């Protein structure tokens, strides 16, 4: 053990030179690489790539192979640019059982699938901190739903989908007392538990609901992936800290030679549920969804969840021993091989699904953990990839029989062959890759043309920007025998993981406007003739319309200090790419960006008398600068009547 | 009249019923900001956009030059045009039944006269929209009017306007040609006899 640690340290210290001097990775010559990533003006990229924003709580949308940034989708973070999380319509999206949480740490984008292949309907992504899963609608590229995960300490191993979105699965990173209670942290072993959550997805509208949770031993659960093909009914979860330490995990959770991959038979779980083995548990969590008709989010508070206990459900879970703190768990396109990335392991262990079934049949167990059978490593292992670089984390597949694994410590991507387990190629990355992404690379049919390395460090790769440097994605050509780096592109936030899909699958369903006639927002103003200002006690409601290049009304009087002024702004446009903005001077809330046909409401509470300009913030037309108005704010005692024009 | 000529006339009459199903005239606009194009379709009884929201958007663009919004409901011709065309179709049927060559001439003449009046009316609407501009228009270019061409294309500020018959208009023109052909065939056959 000590020896490995020493080696790792030595390698960390010298990794950059090591990588540059001794590895055989190839960079395409500049001209050839430039040709491969050049997307001529007016031409479209071949793929959409969705990169998680990590600590910025968003998703960014890039084109491949150009690496051009198209959009940042607000998911778990407020965005004052659009008013997401500030406007009355979107505030409910960020409600949780802990109150309003306008930020998070978003890690794993996951495309919805049909028959095990990304279908371009939805993108799911997790919030680690205040445990949530969001669904983004890929018609509008907007967040459509956010569901909170109860009984979870940290929603890291999430959201991974089964072959037809039967379930979005999620595991808790931190085990915690369930239900939460005031106990000594040192009582970890007796009081702390984990959960594995199965979220059902409505096949028609994507609505999410928690079908059940499985109560599991108090370990740290890290990542997951659903099975496919023969392993369709199963889901796999990595775990670390089988030592069940609660302090200085760096040392105390790195002691055991093997931790576990948990294999869960979700079809069997459904059977046990039908038999009534599930127990209802009181808890509180939120399900927030954006209603496409009213263009307004609603929060539903839910107060119970169904729990399955493996003790009541024999055969539901097995543990596959896996070397040294496994991180990623990835299932190959055939559904037979389950690849685990042992962070501290010197090999990549690959489990065989069919051998696992045989071992289960023969009860080839070496013991159990809290009643969950532990299978014999030698009986389930298909092979080990030797010399895969240090710190193997994540693996994706090209659909041609090869797997690609990131090695974090040695900053490289290692290509190896399924079945023979030989390393066939390796390429340095710049630097410290976490996840990697091949379009469809975790599905049944990868579009194995490109690979994106998602790197944590960019020292010396770009113009420096003070202490904080950008993070980076690298585009690698994987069509030939040798991997070739084509492009570096800086990313927004931490590009933790990414998913990519051929552009045409998404483009054909792209939404261009919201139909004004179908806008059922109760505060919509569908024609200028209904634009008006109404006082209700100390609330003033301004029903404002925006069109090129004016607001109606544009002069508003009779507002008093202390009033709550709600601007309900409807964008009357029905033309693609013509949003209007709305901002009022001194607003301590945010501006709005209102899409064609949409209504958004922002609350403004003026504190001082005066005349306040408001204006459009999105350059909408030749007379955009003229798109403005005034609000007169009188003293609280004044008797100025509401008037407008 | 010979059967073949009567069949041709029947065919011509049926083609005219196409006016109920296809636009008579198309006006298409092209501008840098509208790479996908934006256009109007003029039907017997309505004016629509080429795409669902084109009419709204054309009106929005037109307000900058002070052009009145196109409100199909306020154009009376669209109310009685369907009856006129229905009349032509009935007249055509009558001609086929009565087998009188003179009536065929009358039928063709009536279509041509109505078509000429229609085109003139269309021209006048274009003139009216293009010339009666609001004095309050945000964009005023000295000497500029915005009448779309009756037929063909014309650059109007940033917009290239293209005005051409639609499928309905083409069917009407073909119907007239076929009717003329029917007469010619009929005459020849008579001579041959
Ligand atoms: Cu504007």
């Amino acid at each position: 053990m000590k020896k490995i640690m020493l080696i790792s340290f030595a390698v960390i210290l010298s990794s950059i030179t090591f990588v540059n001097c001794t590895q055989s990775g190839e960079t395409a010559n500049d001209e050839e690489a430039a040709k491969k990533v050049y997307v001529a003006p007016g031409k479209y990229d071949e793929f959409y790539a969705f990169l998680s924003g990590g600590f910025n709580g968003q998703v960014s949308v890039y084109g491949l192979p150009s690496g051009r940034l198209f959009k940042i989708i607000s998911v778990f973070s407020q965005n004052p640019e659009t008013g997401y999380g500030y406007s009355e319509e979107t505030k409910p999206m960020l409600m949780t059982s802990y109150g309003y949480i306008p930020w998070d740490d978003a890690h794993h984008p996951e495309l919805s699938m049909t028959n095990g292949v990304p279908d371009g309907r939805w993108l799911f992504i997790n919030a680690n901190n205040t445990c949530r899963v969001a669904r983004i609608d890929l018609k509008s590229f907007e967040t459509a739903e956010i569901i909170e995960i109860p009984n979870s300490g940290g929603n890291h191993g999430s959201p991974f989908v089964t072959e037809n979105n039967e379930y979005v699965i999620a595991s808790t990173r931190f085990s915690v007392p369930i239900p939460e209670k005031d106990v000594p942290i040192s009582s970890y072993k007796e009081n702390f538990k984990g959960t594995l959550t199965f979220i059902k997805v409505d096949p028609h509208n994507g609505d999410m609901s928690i079908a059940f949770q499985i109560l599991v031993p108090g370990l740290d659960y890290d990542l997951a992936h659903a099975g496919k093909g023969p392993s369709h009914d199963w889901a796999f979860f990595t775990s670390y800290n089988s030592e069940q330490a609660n302090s200085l995990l760096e040392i105390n959770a790195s002691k055991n030679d093997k931790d576990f991959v948990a294999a869960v038979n979700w079809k069997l779980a459904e059977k046990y549920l039908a038999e009534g083995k599930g127990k209802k548990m009181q808890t509180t969590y939120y399900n927030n969804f954006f209603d496409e008709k009213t263009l307004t989010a609603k929060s539903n508070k839910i107060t119970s969840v169904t729990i399955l206990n493996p003790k009541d459900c024999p055969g539901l879970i097995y543990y596959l021993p896996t070397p040294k703190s496994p991180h990623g768990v990835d299932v190959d396109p055939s559904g037979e091989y389950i690849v685990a990335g042992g962070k501290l392991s010197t090999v990549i262990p690959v489990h065989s699904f069919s051998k696992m079934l045989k071992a289960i049949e023969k009860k080839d167990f070496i013991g159990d953990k809290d009643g969950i059978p532990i299978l014999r490593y030698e009986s389930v292992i298909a092979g080990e990839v030797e010399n895969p670089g240090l710190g193997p984390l994540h693996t994706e597949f090209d659909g041609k029989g090869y797997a690609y694994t990131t090695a974090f410590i040695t900053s490289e991507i290692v290509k190896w062959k399924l079945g023979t387990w030989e390393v066939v190629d390796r390429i340095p990355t710049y630097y410290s890759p976490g996840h990697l992404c091949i379009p469809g690379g975790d599905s049944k049919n990868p579009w194995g043309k490109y690979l994106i390395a998602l790197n944590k460090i960019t020292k010396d790769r770009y113009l420096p920007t003070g202490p904080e440097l950008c993070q980076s994605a690298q585009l690698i050509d994987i069509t030939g025998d040798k991997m070739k780096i084509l492009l570096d592109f800086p990313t927004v936030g931490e590009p933790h993981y990414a998913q990519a899909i051929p552009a045409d699958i998404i483009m054909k369903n792209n939404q261009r406007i919201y139909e004004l006639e179908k806008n059922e927002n109760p505060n919509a103003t569908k024609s200028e003739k209904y634009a008006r200002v109404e006082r209700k006690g100390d609330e003033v409601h301004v029903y404002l319309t925006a069109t090129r290049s004016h607001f109606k009304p544009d002069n508003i009087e009779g507002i008093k200090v202390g009033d709550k002024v709600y601007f309900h702004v409807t964008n009357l446009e029905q033309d693609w790419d013509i949003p209007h903005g709305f901002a009022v001077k001194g607003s301590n809330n945010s501006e709005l960006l209102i899409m064609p046909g949409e209504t958004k409401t922002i609350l403004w509470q003026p504190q001082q008398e005066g005349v306040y300009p408001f204006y459009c913030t999105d350059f909408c037309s030749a007379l955009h600068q003229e798109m403005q108005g005034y609000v007169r704010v009188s003293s609280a005692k004044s008797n100025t009547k509401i008037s407008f024009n | 009249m010979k059967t073949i000529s009567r069949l041709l006339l029947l065919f011509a009459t049926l083609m005219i019923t196409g006016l109920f199903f296809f636009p008579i005239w198309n006006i298409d606009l092209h501008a840098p900001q509208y790479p996908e194009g934006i256009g109007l379709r003029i039907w017997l009884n309505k004016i629509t956009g080429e795409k669902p929201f084109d009419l709204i958007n054309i009106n929005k663009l037109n307000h900058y030059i002070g052009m009145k919004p196109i409100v199909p409901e306020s154009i009376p011709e669209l109310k009685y045009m369907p009856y006129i065309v229905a009349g032509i179709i009935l007249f055509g049927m009558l001609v086929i039944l009565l087998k009188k060559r003179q009536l065929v001439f009358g039928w063709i003449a009536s279509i041509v006269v109505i078509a000429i009046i229609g085109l003139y009316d269309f021209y006048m609407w274009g003139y009216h929209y293009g010339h009666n501009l609001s004095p309050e228009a945000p964009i005023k270019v000295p000497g500029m009017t915005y009448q779309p061409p009756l037929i063909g294309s014309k650059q109007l500020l940033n917009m290239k306007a293209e005005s051409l018959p639609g499928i309905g208009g083409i069917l009407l023109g073909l119907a007239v040609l076929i009717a003329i052909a029917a007469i010619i065939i009929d005459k020849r056959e008579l001579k041959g006899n």
Side-chain angles (χ1 to χ4, degrees), chain A residues 272-349:
Chain A
Y272 283 126
L273 280 174
E275 287 170 7
K277 294 276 167 63
K279 297 211 170 67
K280 283 251 187 272
M281 177 188 160
Q282 293 306 302
T283 181
T284 303
Y285 62 99
Y286 274 71
N287 183 7
N288 311 318
F289 70 97
F290 194 77
D291 182 340
E292 272 184 52
K293 286 189 185 139
T294 58
L295 302 173
T296 303
K298 286 200 182 70
S299 287
N300 287 326
K301 192 168 154 183
I302 301 167
T303 54
S304 82
V305 69
T306 304
I307 304 261
L308 281 176
N309 194 325
K311 287 193 179 107
D312 310 328
C313 307
L316 181 63
I317 306 187
Y318 297 92
Y319 276 141
L320 312 177
T322 305
K324 304 252 35 124
S325 305
H327 184 62
V329 55
D330 299 285
V331 182
D332 87 303
S334 75
E336 162 66 9
Y337 297 121
I338 302 140
V339 182
K343 296 192 292 272
L344 307 175
S345 167
T346 50
V347 297
I348 300 172

Side-chain angles (χ1 to χ4, degrees), chain A residues 443-464:
Chain A
S443 77
K444 261 185 177 168
N445 281 311
W447 294 276
K449 185 170 182 184
Y450 301 114
L451 181 154
I452 319 168
L454 300 158
N455 305 330
K456 308 294 183 198
I457 294 176
T458 56
K459 280 178 191 171
D460 86 1
R461 296 300 285 184
Y462 302 105
L463 290 176

Side-chain angles (χ1 to χ4, degrees), chain A residues 149-186:
Chain A
I149 313 290
N151 298 322
S152 180
N155 185 40
H156 185 256
S158 156
F160 297 96
V161 309
T162 56
E163 284 185 281
N164 291 292
N165 316 315
E166 291 95 341
Y167 295 102
V168 171
I169 58 179
S171 58
T172 184
R173 172 171 167 192
F174 309 103
S175 283
V176 286
I178 293 177
E180 271 291 3
K181 57 189 174 226
D182 173 14
V183 295
I185 296 166
S186 59

Side-chain angles (χ1 to χ4, degrees), chain A residues 547-549 551 579-581 616-621 624 627:
Chain A
T547 189
R548 278 164 287 176
S549 315
F551 289 106
H580 287 292
C616 172
T617 52
D618 187 342
F619 211 115
C620 56
S621 62
H624 160 74
M627 193 161 170

Side-chain angles (χ1 to χ4, degrees), chain A residues 306-556:
Chain A
T306 304
I307 304 261
L308 281 176
N309 194 325
K311 287 193 179 107
D312 310 328
C313 307
L316 181 63
I317 306 187
Y318 297 92
Y319 276 141
L320 312 177
T322 305
K324 304 252 35 124
S325 305
H327 184 62
V329 55
D330 299 285
V331 182
D332 87 303
S334 75
E336 162 66 9
Y337 297 121
I338 302 140
V339 182
K343 296 192 292 272
L344 307 175
S345 167
T346 50
V347 297
I348 300 172
V350 183
H351 296 297
S352 153
F353 178 72
S354 53
K355 283 174 122 182
M356 180 191 98
L357 289 186
K358 272 188 208 128
I360 290 170
E361 204 183 320
K362 285 195 228 147
K363 297 203 168 15
D364 191 3
F365 307 141
I366 56 162
D368 73 292
K369 179 142 193 99
D370 294 4
I372 296 172
I374 303 172
L375 292 158
R376 183 181 307 281
Y377 179 70
E378 293 73 20
S379 305
V380 295
I381 202 81
E384 288 176 339
V385 180
E386 309 250 348
N387 189 21
L390 282 173
L393 294 185
H394 297 284
T395 302
E396 293 226 334
F397 308 90
D398 63 4
K400 293 169 232 158
Y402 295 97
Y404 301 75
T405 301
T406 49
F408 183 85
I409 297 172
T410 43
S411 274
E412 59 182 327
I413 286 170
V414 178
K415 176 181 176 180
W416 50 275
K417 195 164 170 50
L418 287 156
T420 70
W421 325 118
E422 316 162 85
V423 170
V424 296
D425 191 22
R426 52 212 311 150
I427 191 167
T429 59
Y430 306 94
Y431 303 96
S432 303
H435 278 268
L436 75 175
C437 160
I438 292 171
D442 66 341
S443 77
K444 261 185 177 168
N445 281 311
W447 294 276
K449 185 170 182 184
Y450 301 114
L451 181 154
I452 319 168
L454 300 158
N455 305 330
K456 308 294 183 198
I457 294 176
T458 56
K459 280 178 191 171
D460 86 1
R461 296 300 285 184
Y462 302 105
L463 290 176
T465 51
E468 198 202 2
L469 300 177
C470 61
Q471 304 215 2
S472 160
Q474 283 188 297
L475 189 74
I476 296 169
D477 179 350
I478 55 168
T479 52
D481 289 341
K482 287 290 203 187
M483 291 180 273
K484 284 180 182 145
I485 288 186
L486 301 177
L487 182 72
D488 278 357
F489 58 98
T491 60
V492 183
E494 185 220 352
H496 190 90
Y497 179 43
Q499 293 248 290
I501 183 169
D504 53 351
I505 296 178
I506 287 185
M507 271 173 71
K508 63 176 192 274
N509 297 320
N510 186 57
Q511 180 171 345
R512 299 185 166 198
I513 58 162
Y514 295 96
E515 265 188 69
L516 191 60
E517 276 187 33
K518 293 185 182 161
N519 174 345
E520 290 178 20
N521 185 314
N523 298 313
T525 311
K526 295 192 190 177
S527 158
E528 286 188 356
K529 62 180 183 248
Y530 306 121
R532 67 199 186 277
V533 183
E534 288 171 359
R535 175 178 285 286
K536 287 174 192 155
D538 67 349
E539 283 184 8
V540 177
H541 294 265
V542 181
Y543 298 89
L544 197 69
T545 61
T547 189
R548 278 164 287 176
S549 315
H550 61 276
F551 289 106
K552 177 97 183 165
D554 62 0
N555 277 217
I556 298 163

Side-chain angles (χ1 to χ4, degrees), chain A residues 89-158:
Chain A
E89 283 77 16
T90 55
K91 270 196 219 163
M93 291 302 280
L94 302 176
M95 274 308 293
T96 75
S97 61
Y98 299 88
Y100 186 72
I101 310 272
W103 68 277
D104 219 301
D105 179 19
H107 273 199
H108 306 117
E110 177 91 346
L111 290 159
S112 59
M113 291 203 280
T114 301
N115 298 324
V117 180
D119 58 19
R121 296 180 74 191
W122 305 302
L123 182 79
F124 301 95
I125 187 162
N126 63 323
N128 276 328
N129 176 68
T130 308
C131 309
R132 291 172 275 182
V133 167
R135 176 173 56 88
I136 294 162
D137 190 332
L138 293 179
K139 282 200 311 285
S140 60
F141 285 60
E142 298 285 347
T143 305
E145 187 176 5
I146 293 179
I147 192 165
E148 193 181 352
I149 313 290
N151 298 322
S152 180
N155 185 40
H156 185 256
S158 156

